[in-house]
Amino acid sequence: MKSYLDCIPCFIRQSLDSVRRVSNDENIHQEVLRSILSKTSNMDLSESPPSMAQFIHRLIREKTGVADPYREIKQYFNREIMAMFDDLKSRINQSSDPLETAVRLAIAGNIIDLGARNQVNQHIIQDAIDHALNNPLLWDKEEFVAEVEQAETILYLADNAGEIVFDWLLIEQLPVQKITVVVRGYPTLNDVTLADAQEIGLDKIVQVIDNGSDAPGTILHDCSIEFVERFNQASLIISKGQGNYETLSDVDKDIFFMLKAKCPVIADDIGCQVGDMVFQRSSSHLYSQQIFTK
Amino acid sequence: MKSYLDCIPCFIRQSLDSVRRVSNDENIHQEVLRSILSKTSNMDLSESPPSMAQFIHRLIREKTGVADPYREIKQYFNREIMAMFDDLKSRINQSSDPLETAVRLAIAGNIIDLGARNQVNQHIIQDAIDHALNNPLLWDKEEFVAEVEQAETILYLADNAGEIVFDWLLIEQLPVQKITVVVRGYPTLNDVTLADAQEIGLDKIVQVIDNGSDAPGTILHDCSIEFVERFNQASLIISKGQGNYETLSDVDKDIFFMLKAKCPVIADDIGCQVGDMVFQRSSSHLYSQQIFTK
């Protein structure tokens, strides 16, 4: 997905929020903001939004000297959602359709995205869960189940810390031995890294690899060769969140996107409303597969 | 008042909203947005927010070739509020304190500010009226009445089209022969100009002059010499709205500011909450008067 003019005010807001989260130095805030303003004034709109977000968060790490600015907040969300694990698991197992309930909850968990909104708290997460359990989910369950059954290998592209706990609950409803969870290669925003997967113990139940990139999405030409090979070889991709959608929606690969639409730009691109749950198969599965090479 | 870093995301949003209001040409939108991004990357934060807004709206007029982009919307608000004139006047005259009711309504009218928010409609205006009539107004009525009585000449610095009708109702509660209403010198945003005052007929009941500037505020060094002389000679200034506050809050002159706080930056500067009604006398009336010269 390309970037839209409407992404730009959002980049500017996100830059200011993020740098303030990391540093109390007004001079650094100003330096970062001026750099982002200058960069966006020349930005190539054909690039996806996570490409600019990658630049922004690299710059913030560089200017502040903090390697993982969102470390504490990621730990907070990991802990908060792990504390809900047993309750969420009961809800899934006691529901009439555990797989669908797990899919709904995994999409609800995508609310924990500090790129799309300044603030996420327990109240907002609870609202997202209630919304997910009580609103229409447009998905072709039979198609998804058939593809999962046929697949030899499935890559599950995770998105954010905290959200990964919801992903864990969904993965438990799938053939876990076929699945590899993919996290970001380096800290960026509140996106999930190996440290988060290890912190919650997800790496004990499923293989977890990183993609080698510090973009808050999956920019294939920025990922490691090892990851790209795994991506190309995978029978099926499950992609969580806006950043992965924005970077992979035009890639010729069979992908099931799951996300909560949190901004008008992505909602327009998908053809839904802000707040909607999205479960969408890439249209490119209809055509011959083209392998991406680095 | 200086500009804050938080003003910048707002400038960017306002630029995009404004240029889209005037033109459907995506290339012009992009050109304007890129210019504003570049300009703000180097902006002097010691200048007031209306100084940047002046640049933005000049650029939009220049790039689109539309001299008064908000003409229609200004006419719409003038008509809408004129249609409420008799009803509002009855409310004032039937209230236990007509002057205070008129002040409250004048502040409510300040909601019609398309710089502070993208959209204003009848519902939002009604809410602002209800809020103004049912919430605390911190003002020293006796002090204000005494100053108005003592004053030989009063300049009433108006802010926006539509809002000017509320100002008219307040002016009727004051000694109208002492008052001169001041409007912007040229179209900028939805700020009030001579055309608006004439359109509603305000110029038939009170003297109306313009300040010679196209800033959405009162930047004295950008105003006409004639206006600046009137400003310096006036015994008292009544200043409506955020733009006039932002440009005059540091000026050494006895000014009563009336506005509705619509953004967190100005609310912080004043020490109030977003949404609050503000009636505040400038602190500089305590000190000796310094005359501004061009």
Side-chain angles (χ1 to χ4, degrees):
Chain A
M1 185 184 117
K2 77 185 204 85
S3 294
Y4 293 82
L5 292 182
D6 294 276
C7 299
I8 294 181
C10 197
F11 291 140
I12 307 303
R13 173 196 59 72
Q14 194 185 124
S15 306
L16 195 53
D17 289 340
S18 298
V19 69
R20 282 178 171 160
R21 200 181 280 275
V22 191
S23 163
N24 292 319
D25 184 340
E26 166 89 6
N27 290 325
I28 291 182
H29 304 170
Q30 199 175 135
E31 208 180 330
V32 165
L33 193 61
R34 288 187 190 276
S35 296
I36 303 301
L37 289 162
S38 173
K39 177 81 176 175
T40 49
S41 74
N42 296 308
M43 85 172 278
D44 176 359
L45 290 170
S46 71
E47 291 200 19
S48 67
S51 177
M52 180 55 74
Q54 179 182 37
F55 175 88
I56 291 170
H57 294 282
R58 268 188 195 172
L59 185 74
I60 290 172
R61 295 196 301 276
E62 186 188 304
K63 296 282 184 195
T64 61
V66 181
D68 190 358
Y70 287 73
R71 188 68 243 144
E72 274 181 37
I73 196 132
K74 288 189 289 187
Q75 287 174 323
Y76 167 79
F77 282 119
N78 287 335
R79 273 196 313 271
E80 287 287 301
I81 315 299
M82 278 308 284
M84 298 160 65
F85 189 92
D86 291 343
D87 174 55
L88 293 169
K89 188 165 176 164
S90 300
R91 287 209 204 188
I92 290 170
N93 291 335
Q94 287 162 20
S95 71
S96 58
D97 187 338
L99 175 61
E100 178 165 323
T101 304
V103 165
R104 286 171 175 272
L105 289 173
I107 295 174
N110 185 236
I111 196 72
I112 309 173
D113 175 350
L114 295 173
R117 48 192 307 155
N118 299 352
Q119 230 205 332
V120 178
N121 54 35
Q122 263 294 352
H123 181 73
I124 289 168
I125 295 169
Q126 280 301 338
D127 280 354
I129 292 173
D130 292 344
H131 178 273
L133 296 177
N134 297 296
N135 278 281
L137 171 68
L138 294 175
W139 76 315
D140 187 335
K141 184 185 169 184
E142 282 64 38
E143 180 192 42
F144 178 68
V145 168
E147 292 295 330
V148 166
E149 272 177 18
Q150 279 173 34
E152 280 182 36
T153 53
I154 301 172
L155 287 192
Y156 190 108
L157 310 183
D159 193 12
N160 297 304
E163 179 180 352
I164 191 82
V165 180
F166 290 93
D167 297 324
W168 180 341
L169 290 160
L170 172 55
I171 289 165
E172 283 191 341
Q173 301 295 321
L174 301 173
V176 67
Q177 69 290 350
K178 292 183 183 178
I179 296 177
T180 300
V181 172
V182 183
V183 296
R184 310 292 183 229
Y186 302 92
T188 182
L189 248 170
N190 67 318
D191 285 40
V192 64
T193 62
L194 276 181
D196 301 293
Q198 288 163 353
E199 211 164 88
I200 63 169
L202 182 64
D203 58 326
K204 303 281 188 303
I205 72 133
V206 64
Q207 193 189 13
V208 183
I209 63 167
D210 77 73
N211 69 6
S213 161
D214 65 347
T218 305
I219 302 175
L220 289 173
H221 64 78
D222 193 62
C223 292
S224 65
I225 293 172
E226 295 74 18
F227 167 72
V228 173
E229 280 173 1
R230 294 286 300 265
F231 184 88
N232 284 332
Q233 287 159 7
S235 326
L236 189 69
I237 310 284
I238 296 172
S239 163
K240 280 294 300 291
Q242 291 192 171
N244 287 327
Y245 174 85
E246 288 165 350
T247 45
L248 294 172
S249 64
D250 300 326
V251 169
D252 198 2
K253 182 82 185 171
D254 196 3
I255 306 176
F256 284 94
F257 293 105
M258 292 186 208
L259 57 97
K260 188 164 172 73
K262 293 171 297 284
C263 88
V265 171
I266 209 164
D268 277 358
D269 192 84
I270 292 172
C272 69
Q273 300 297 310
V274 170
D276 280 1
M277 290 184 280
V278 176
F279 185 101
Q280 186 173 289
R281 191 173 185 181
S282 62
S283 52
S284 55
H285 74 279
L286 301 171
Y287 309 106
S288 63
Q289 300 284 312
Q290 177 191 315
I291 298 295
F292 176 86
T293 49
K294 270 192 87 101
Chain B
M1 186 183 117
K2 76 187 203 82
S3 293
Y4 293 82
L5 292 181
D6 294 276
C7 298
I8 294 179
C10 196
F11 290 140
I12 307 304
R13 173 197 58 73
Q14 194 184 126
S15 306
L16 195 53
D17 289 340
S18 298
V19 69
R20 282 178 171 161
R21 199 181 281 274
V22 191
S23 163
N24 292 320
D25 185 339
E26 166 90 6
N27 291 326
I28 291 181
H29 303 170
Q30 199 174 136
E31 206 180 331
V32 164
L33 193 61
R34 289 188 190 275
S35 297
I36 304 300
L37 289 162
S38 174
K39 176 80 176 176
T40 49
S41 74
N42 295 308
M43 85 172 277
D44 177 358
L45 291 170
S46 70
E47 292 200 18
S48 67
S51 176
M52 179 56 73
Q54 179 183 36
F55 176 87
I56 291 170
H57 294 283
R58 267 188 197 172
L59 186 75
I60 290 172
R61 295 196 302 273
E62 186 189 306
K63 296 281 183 197
T64 60
V66 181
D68 189 358
Y70 288 73
R71 185 70 244 142
E72 274 181 37
I73 196 133
K74 289 188 288 186
Q75 287 174 324
Y76 168 78
F77 283 119
N78 287 335
R79 273 198 313 271
E80 286 287 300
I81 315 298
M82 278 308 284
M84 299 160 66
F85 189 92
D86 292 342
D87 175 54
L88 292 169
K89 188 165 175 165
S90 300
R91 285 210 206 187
I92 290 170
N93 291 334
Q94 286 162 21
S95 71
S96 59
D97 187 338
L99 176 60
E100 179 165 324
T101 304
V103 167
R104 286 171 175 274
L105 289 173
I107 295 175
N110 185 234
I111 197 70
I112 310 173
D113 175 350
L114 295 173
R117 48 191 308 154
N118 299 353
Q119 229 206 333
V120 177
N121 55 35
Q122 263 294 352
H123 181 72
I124 289 168
I125 294 169
Q126 279 301 337
D127 280 354
I129 291 173
D130 292 344
H131 177 274
L133 296 177
N134 296 296
N135 278 280
L137 172 68
L138 293 174
W139 75 316
D140 187 334
K141 184 186 168 185
E142 283 66 37
E143 180 193 40
F144 178 68
V145 169
E147 292 296 330
V148 166
E149 272 178 18
Q150 278 172 34
E152 279 183 37
T153 53
I154 301 172
L155 288 192
Y156 190 109
L157 310 183
D159 193 11
N160 297 304
E163 179 180 352
I164 191 82
V165 180
F166 290 92
D167 297 325
W168 179 343
L169 290 159
L170 172 54
I171 289 164
E172 284 192 340
Q173 300 295 319
L174 300 172
V176 66
Q177 70 291 349
K178 292 183 184 180
I179 297 177
T180 300
V181 171
V182 183
V183 297
R184 310 293 183 227
Y186 302 92
T188 181
L189 248 167
N190 66 318
D191 286 38
V192 62
T193 61
L194 276 180
D196 301 292
Q198 288 162 354
E199 210 164 271
I200 63 169
L202 181 65
D203 58 325
K204 302 282 190 300
I205 72 133
V206 63
Q207 194 190 11
V208 183
I209 63 168
D210 77 73
N211 68 7
S213 161
D214 66 346
T218 306
I219 301 175
L220 288 173
H221 64 80
D222 194 62
C223 292
S224 65
I225 294 173
E226 295 74 20
F227 167 72
V228 172
E229 279 172 3
R230 294 287 298 264
F231 184 87
N232 285 331
Q233 287 158 7
S235 325
L236 189 67
I237 309 285
I238 296 172
S239 163
K240 281 293 303 292
Q242 291 193 169
N244 287 327
Y245 174 85
E246 288 165 352
T247 44
L248 294 173
S249 65
D250 300 327
V251 169
D252 199 1
K253 182 79 185 174
D254 197 3
I255 306 175
F256 284 93
F257 294 105
M258 292 186 208
L259 57 96
K260 189 165 171 72
K262 293 172 297 282
C263 87
V265 171
I266 210 165
D268 278 357
D269 192 83
I270 291 173
C272 69
Q273 302 295 311
V274 170
D276 281 0
M277 290 183 277
V278 176
F279 185 100
Q280 186 174 289
R281 191 173 185 182
S282 62
S283 52
S284 56
H285 74 279
L286 301 171
Y287 310 107
S288 62
Q289 300 283 315
Q290 179 191 311
I291 298 296
F292 176 87
T293 49
K294 269 195 87 103

